[in-house]
Amino acid sequence: MATMEELRRACRACMKCELGKTRTNLVFGVGNEQAKLMFVGEGPGEQEDLQGVPFVGRAGKLLDDMLAMFDLKREDVYIANIVKCRPPKNRDPLPDEQDACYPWLEQQLAVVRPKLVVCLGRIAAMRLIDPHYRITQQHGQWLARDGMEITAIYHPAALLRDPRRRPEAFDDMKDIAAKLKALG
Ligand code: URA
């Protein structure tokens, strides 16, 4: 099986969809390759595209703050996205772009083999949990699949837009941190 570095190198040359033409940098993933907890976002934004690292903009700062509330750091988890290249003007990644990119995420999951997977927002949840996923109703619910437990929480960008949702996200994060702790 390929190592994460080999995958990253191969992905750097990826032109399987149109997003490859407009990326500044590939945003493959970051964090601990042996993490028990993996976060999956939607796709890189402007800052991520410029720096080649997921969740480094305002939403990323909020994610870091949420992790810190439960004594977690980026280095304790692995963070990736459904699509590895920035969609123009931060639009949602199109279904065929997600399809083209998904095998990279599958290979990342195979390397990390996390016990817990947390989708950040609706797009990731629709891809990883259920195409009809309703984040307002289903966030925080767990599903077991392929030796992993999967859930979704509000995307940090949604929490920036609507701070009233933060208490629910805090509760979900508390549950995630407790599950992680129980894993030892
Ligand atoms: N939003 C995402 O979904 N992913 C990132 O990497 C940054 C912002």
Side-chain angles (χ1 to χ4, degrees), residues 6-183:
E6 285 165 348
L7 291 175
R8 181 194 299 275
R9 232 174 292 136
C11 192
R12 220 175 262 149
C14 182
M15 281 292 174
K16 280 192 257 174
C17 80
E18 294 290 304
L19 299 182
K21 292 185 187 160
T22 50
R23 70 173 168 240
T24 311
N25 285 296
L26 172 76
V27 180
F28 191 64
V30 73
N32 183 339
E33 291 171 21
Q34 271 113 46
K36 294 188 177 123
L37 171 58
M38 180 157 159
F39 288 92
V40 180
E42 167 180 333
E46 185 182 23
Q47 281 307 312
E48 291 77 20
D49 175 66
L50 291 172
Q51 298 182 43
V53 181
F55 285 97
V56 287
R58 281 181 68 220
K61 173 80 177 59
L62 181 55
L63 177 62
D64 287 343
D65 290 348
M66 288 168 71
L67 290 172
M69 282 179 201
F70 299 97
D71 279 334
L72 290 167
K73 296 186 287 300
R74 263 177 190 242
E75 301 80 61
D76 302 321
V77 302
Y78 192 81
I79 307 175
N81 279 306
I82 297 287
V83 298
K84 313 297 193 226
C85 301
R86 182 189 182 199
K89 299 190 184 138
N90 297 350
R91 64 159 168 75
D92 289 350
L94 302 173
D96 59 337
E97 293 162 352
Q98 296 185 32
D99 290 344
C101 212
Y102 194 64
W104 295 115
L105 182 65
E106 283 181 318
Q107 293 179 86
Q108 288 174 300
L109 284 163
V111 170
V112 179
R113 301 179 65 230
K115 292 274 183 255
L116 308 176
V117 175
V118 177
C119 302
L120 295 170
R122 182 181 64 93
I123 298 281
M126 285 170 74
R127 177 57 52 159
L128 287 178
I129 300 176
D130 171 2
H132 302 292
Y133 196 85
R134 301 287 302 273
I135 192 90
T136 48
Q137 288 160 24
Q138 291 173 265
H139 69 88
Q141 294 176 10
W142 292 90
L143 156 114
R145 201 173 61 211
D146 303 332
M148 304 178 287
E149 286 194 84
I150 311 178
T151 190
I153 64 173
Y154 285 115
H155 193 290
L159 300 175
L160 289 172
R161 280 194 302 272
D162 187 357
R164 285 170 307 176
R165 299 204 187 281
R166 286 189 190 196
E168 289 168 85
F170 180 86
D171 285 348
D172 291 344
M173 204 61 173
K174 191 169 161 188
D175 186 34
I176 293 161
K179 265 188 180 288
L180 182 64
K181 201 159 182 198
L183 289 171

